[in-house]
Amino acid sequence: MTDATGADTAGDTRANPAPVVLAAAGAVPAIELIGIEKRFGTVLANHDVSLRVAAGTIHGIVGENGAGKSTLMSILYGFYEADAGEIRIDGRTVAIRSATDAIAAGIGMVHQHFMLVPTFTVLENVMLGAEGSALLAGGRARARAELDRLARGYGLDVDPDALVGTLPVGLQQRVEVLKALYRGARILILDEPTGVLTPQETDRLFEILRALRDEGVTVILITHKLREILDVTDSVSVMRRGEMVAHRPTAGTSREELAELMVGRTVLFRVDKAPATPGAAVLTVDGLRVVGSDGVPRVDGIGFTVAAGEIVGLAGVSGNGQSELLEALAGIRPIAAGRIRIGALEITPENPADPRTVRAAGVGHVPEDRQRMGMVLPFEAAESAILGHHDSPAYGGRWLMDYGAVAADCAAKMRAFDVRPADPRLRGALFSGGNQQKLVLARELAGAPRLLLVGQPTRGVDIGAIEFIHRQLVAMRDAGAAILLVSVELDEIMSLADRILVICSGRLVGGLPAAEADARTLGLMMANVPLEEIRA
């Protein structure tokens, strides 16, 4: 294989291979990073990283969690300042010491976790920090006109007067893109943009990115999803352990090659597991009804069981009651009707249970939102690694914490789950999203729960870590645990689950053995088409 320079790049894993630039000979790259270095204490996040990206292309950057991708893009956007190296935009060397400098250079960034004010309207979020006039009314009128022009030009339709907090995540992401374009961005960085999107929202986002590219916008896409890289990018660069190890034209590579470059070994894309041997029911749900904060039923009269030694997958488009179901099962949200039985624990509206009681019954819970519910981001990793177990005698008991034992326990979990950097004292907010997820999983699996509730276990997690997490879940199943798996990734549901249930509008559409499932059948069931009608 050769890159755009004509050099042989097959199996190239040296630091700083010749960057690919998909552009005419002599064309000036939109972005050029030269010898970027960044260190956080003893952790070398970026080492001698160089990258060139051609104008008007979509360029992917892939790598394991903690490989340095987000750090590199944060340097380009001015969140961090490089310790060494040079940044060139359109051939000119620029000093980017803040996001203001980046915006002035024509760079915009859409972060993995959106930076929007939920109580503001779309228009107010887009204007925020760029009002452009001391007379706000005049600024609003100009902003509204510009927002309308951008929305029509790029297919980014969204109601400018809608409160952002009421919008689904796909539309919130459009607001982030509009914010960047409103500020004049001709270079757009997207960090894990599809982690919270449905497949339909992902397809729409990629249509928007292609339209932006065709209008001359340069797009950098950071993602762990190799299928998306192959689908939408023109070229791709691979990082590993803080270094740039390979560049490829997307048309000249494959999922298997990129995965091997990312992790340094061959990666299995299938879940290797024996048939399940289910035992007695651990979880029984009868006629469960859960109401949202707005009084609308989110889970409406469903019933199912999960037995020891099996993984039951719950498939459905995001927002159809999965989150509320998991919260009710974990004791976080009260139930309006029905019954939940976990071993000897019975939960009804008259006999509610809190999370501590549910955990004491042998339940582990990996929440869908690791940042809001799985960790306390300002806490050190060691502290988040014992949440819910902090009064255990192993950590000193209820009144006096043995921090040495807590730190040692966290270090062991980090080694077992390859959390990077392996520093128990580092604040949770400073880990990448995938490493935050691995830390939460390590905590919940460490207690060997009899029932494990798992929401989106591999959201924002790299391909090597996905393989590892799947092995851990299968090992728990084989050891006799009952597992309820909620995921918007149909491939994950079909390969990991033993049985699949499909939910739509808070009701179960039906269920089938995983061996009989396919994407078409599940997709139709997710649209509320009964299985009997599909098979007719």
Side-chain angles (χ1 to χ4, degrees):
M1 184 185 299
T2 60
D3 66 14
T5 68
D8 181 15
T9 60
D12 190 353
T13 59
R14 69 189 187 277
N16 282 321
V20 171
V21 179
L22 298 180
V28 176
I31 305 164
E32 191 166 12
L33 306 178
I34 304 169
I36 298 295
E37 296 268 343
K38 183 61 182 177
R39 182 182 293 275
F40 297 98
T42 61
V43 177
L44 186 59
N46 287 156
H47 175 54
D48 193 24
V49 175
S50 294
L51 173 70
R52 295 200 303 270
V53 180
T57 65
I58 302 176
H59 187 93
I61 301 179
V62 298
E64 291 185 280
N65 299 126
K69 311 178 299 297
S70 294
T71 297
L72 186 67
M73 291 301 101
S74 293
I75 289 170
L76 181 58
Y77 192 61
F79 278 164
Y80 302 136
E81 189 172 352
D83 299 329
E86 182 181 357
I87 299 174
R88 295 178 184 172
I89 303 298
D90 296 327
R92 296 180 295 105
T93 298
V94 296
I96 299 180
R97 299 185 178 90
S98 67
T100 302
D101 292 339
I103 292 168
I107 303 169
M109 187 167 182
V110 177
H111 301 272
Q112 181 177 1
H113 301 283
F114 303 150
M115 296 189 174
L116 299 170
V117 181
T119 55
F120 280 15
T121 66
V122 169
L123 181 62
E124 289 165 345
N125 269 280
V126 170
M127 291 178 63
L128 190 61
E131 290 82 357
S133 172
L135 299 174
L136 191 57
R140 287 177 69 94
R142 285 190 293 273
R144 186 179 292 273
E146 178 63 7
L147 188 60
D148 181 64
R149 184 188 72 81
L150 291 169
R152 286 186 287 104
Y154 296 113
L156 289 161
D157 299 315
V158 61
D159 180 1
D161 298 312
L163 290 177
V164 162
T166 68
L167 298 176
V169 290
L171 291 183
Q172 289 186 29
Q173 189 173 71
R174 290 190 195 181
V175 178
E176 286 280 25
V177 174
L178 284 166
K179 275 176 54 181
L181 296 176
Y182 180 76
R183 287 158 175 75
R186 301 300 297 169
I187 295 168
L188 187 62
I189 306 165
L190 295 102
D191 188 2
E192 297 291 350
T194 66
V196 294
L197 302 186
T198 66
Q200 296 87 346
E201 289 170 332
T202 296
D203 291 342
R204 180 63 188 129
L205 172 65
F206 287 173
E207 290 175 8
I208 291 167
L209 295 186
R210 293 185 185 103
L212 290 167
R213 175 193 61 191
D214 294 345
E215 291 295 322
V217 176
T218 303
V219 178
I220 298 182
L221 178 66
I222 305 172
T223 181
H224 295 112
K225 299 179 181 180
L226 298 183
R227 178 180 297 176
E228 296 177 358
I229 286 289
L230 296 172
D231 181 39
V232 75
T233 66
D234 302 301
S235 55
V236 55
S237 298
V238 184
M239 295 188 70
R240 188 165 73 240
R241 297 186 180 273
E243 297 184 344
M244 192 68 74
V245 298
H247 305 279
R248 298 285 189 268
T250 305
T253 189
S254 66
R255 181 178 68 162
E256 290 73 18
E257 183 193 28
L258 291 175
E260 186 168 351
L261 287 166
M262 285 170 60
V263 303
R265 59 174 174 80
T266 301
V267 175
L268 296 177
F269 286 92
R270 67 181 186 280
V271 178
D272 188 12
K273 62 185 177 74
T277 55
V282 175
L283 170 67
T284 302
V285 176
D286 289 321
L288 184 65
R289 189 168 184 265
V290 182
V291 177
S293 57
D294 55 1
V296 176
R298 301 301 181 188
V299 177
D300 195 4
I302 69 174
F304 62 93
T305 63
V306 183
E310 74 167 343
I311 300 174
V312 174
L314 186 65
V317 176
S318 181
N320 276 266
Q322 302 97 313
S323 299
E324 291 80 2
L325 174 61
L326 284 179
E327 290 174 7
L329 295 175
I332 298 170
R333 183 182 291 267
I335 67 175
R339 182 184 65 176
I340 299 169
R341 180 177 292 164
I342 304 167
L345 175 65
E346 185 165 305
I347 305 171
T348 65
E350 298 76 26
N351 184 41
D354 59 19
R356 180 187 292 272
T357 303
V358 172
R359 187 177 292 278
V363 178
H365 178 213
V366 179
E368 292 181 293
D369 189 333
R370 56 183 170 250
Q371 293 200 344
R372 187 172 65 88
M373 298 181 66
M375 302 178 69
V376 180
L377 295 182
F379 280 14
E380 294 178 359
E383 295 168 321
S384 281
I386 63 167
L387 289 177
H389 305 273
H390 46 277
D391 57 359
S392 167
Y395 308 127
R398 184 184 296 271
W399 305 113
L400 187 63
M401 190 74 69
D402 182 350
Y403 191 83
V406 172
D409 174 79
C410 181
K413 288 171 179 171
M414 287 176 153
R415 287 192 298 271
F417 278 74
D418 192 26
V419 177
R420 304 177 192 171
D423 182 359
R425 300 298 303 268
L426 195 64
R427 288 191 299 112
L430 298 179
F431 288 88
S432 68
N435 279 295
Q436 291 172 353
Q437 182 78 350
K438 287 192 281 187
L439 192 62
V440 173
L441 279 156
R443 180 188 69 217
E444 296 304 312
L445 270 61
R450 61 186 306 198
L451 171 65
L452 182 65
L453 310 172
V454 188
Q456 316 301 342
T458 57
R459 175 177 283 168
V461 175
D462 64 65
I463 192 71
I466 288 172
E467 182 188 34
F468 173 80
I469 290 168
H470 285 174
R471 285 202 309 268
Q472 297 301 308
L473 294 177
V474 170
M476 283 197 65
R477 179 206 73 167
D478 293 345
I483 300 176
L484 178 63
L485 167 72
V486 172
S487 177
V488 295
E489 303 289 346
L490 286 185
D491 287 345
E492 181 168 64
I493 288 277
M494 289 189 292
S495 61
L496 197 56
D498 303 303
R499 288 191 294 126
I500 300 175
L501 305 174
V502 179
I503 191 170
C504 180
S505 298
R507 298 183 178 183
L508 291 184
V509 180
L512 69 167
E516 299 177 12
D518 57 61
R520 174 184 174 274
T521 299
L522 294 178
L524 289 171
M525 293 176 72
M526 288 161 61
N528 208 27
V529 180
L531 183 59
E532 297 76 15
E533 185 176 326
I534 297 170
R535 290 177 168 173

